[in-house]
Amino acid sequence: MDITKLAKIQRQIGTKNSFQREKDELVYSELSIAVAELFNKVSRADETICLKAYCKVLAAFLDVANTKKWVYLLLLSPEQEEKLASKWRSRSEATVYLTLQQQILKAHLERRNEYLVRAWNIFIKFGLTDLKYSSEMIETCFIDLYMRKS
């Protein structure tokens, strides 16, 4: 997955939508809401709807990273991506959801990037292993969702 390219798309969208707002706080709440919406749809919706929800969370992660200037921390080599994809499936979606929310909140409240990186890795692993999306599927859906808006 070309995270740099996706972050650039998100940055372009963000500048079009930004009007001097309390961006630092808002990006974390948007990320948290997007994660909740994804997990609400995972077992109730078809694959296309879930993939779009997954891409909205991806966009929210990239918005946080762009705002905090942490995109470089989210970059994954093909080897790292493959390692995440080869991990076991999660036993409980609820545990994944709660762990993601915990890490996102810690990143915001403690202002520490390592918690965002942990949440990112959990999120990517969830998409690749639990939801069985390929990197290509994710990237294509993301581009379709956000490049058509521009």
Side-chain angles (χ1 to χ4, degrees):
M1 199 175 338
D2 189 348
I3 302 300
T4 306
K5 178 169 88 176
L6 302 180
K8 183 178 178 184
I9 292 168
Q10 179 56 34
R11 194 167 34 254
Q12 290 169 345
I13 294 164
T15 55
K16 288 180 183 176
N17 295 335
S18 89
F19 47 90
Q20 295 310 86
R21 55 186 182 173
E22 296 171 357
K23 186 113 172 136
D24 190 44
E25 305 235 341
L26 189 58
V27 291
Y28 281 104
S29 61
E30 288 172 349
L31 174 56
S32 184
I33 290 167
V35 168
E37 289 173 350
L38 168 65
F39 279 84
N40 191 33
K41 292 176 182 170
V42 164
S43 59
R44 296 183 178 97
D46 68 14
E47 183 178 326
T48 305
I49 292 171
C50 287
L51 181 56
K52 286 180 181 177
Y54 185 86
C55 288
K56 288 178 182 177
V57 177
L58 176 62
F61 263 108
L62 295 173
D63 200 15
V64 171
N66 281 325
T67 300
K68 303 295 278 180
K69 303 197 182 342
W70 289 345
V71 172
Y72 70 99
L73 296 170
L74 303 186
L75 300 178
L76 297 170
S77 69
E79 295 80 24
Q80 291 170 308
E81 201 173 299
E82 191 172 313
K83 185 177 177 183
L84 289 171
S86 68
K87 291 193 176 232
W88 64 95
R89 284 185 56 129
S90 305
R91 291 185 186 166
S92 166
E93 288 174 3
T95 301
V96 175
Y97 168 73
L98 292 171
T99 304
L100 267 173
Q101 291 289 18
Q102 175 199 42
Q103 295 301 305
I104 291 165
L105 287 171
K106 286 178 99 172
H108 173 59
L109 296 173
E110 296 181 24
R111 297 178 183 0
R112 294 181 54 191
N113 60 23
E114 61 264 23
Y115 295 119
L116 186 73
V117 173
R118 283 186 201 144
W120 173 252
N121 287 325
I122 292 166
F123 170 71
I124 295 297
K125 182 250 177 220
F126 181 72
L128 296 175
T129 62
D130 295 73
L131 298 177
K132 297 184 173 132
Y133 299 146
S134 69
S135 296
E136 294 77 26
M137 284 173 67
I138 296 167
E139 193 170 330
T140 301
C141 180
F142 186 93
I143 291 167
D144 286 348
L145 270 176
Y146 293 103
M147 288 305 288
R148 288 184 184 172
K149 285 185 175 181
S150 3

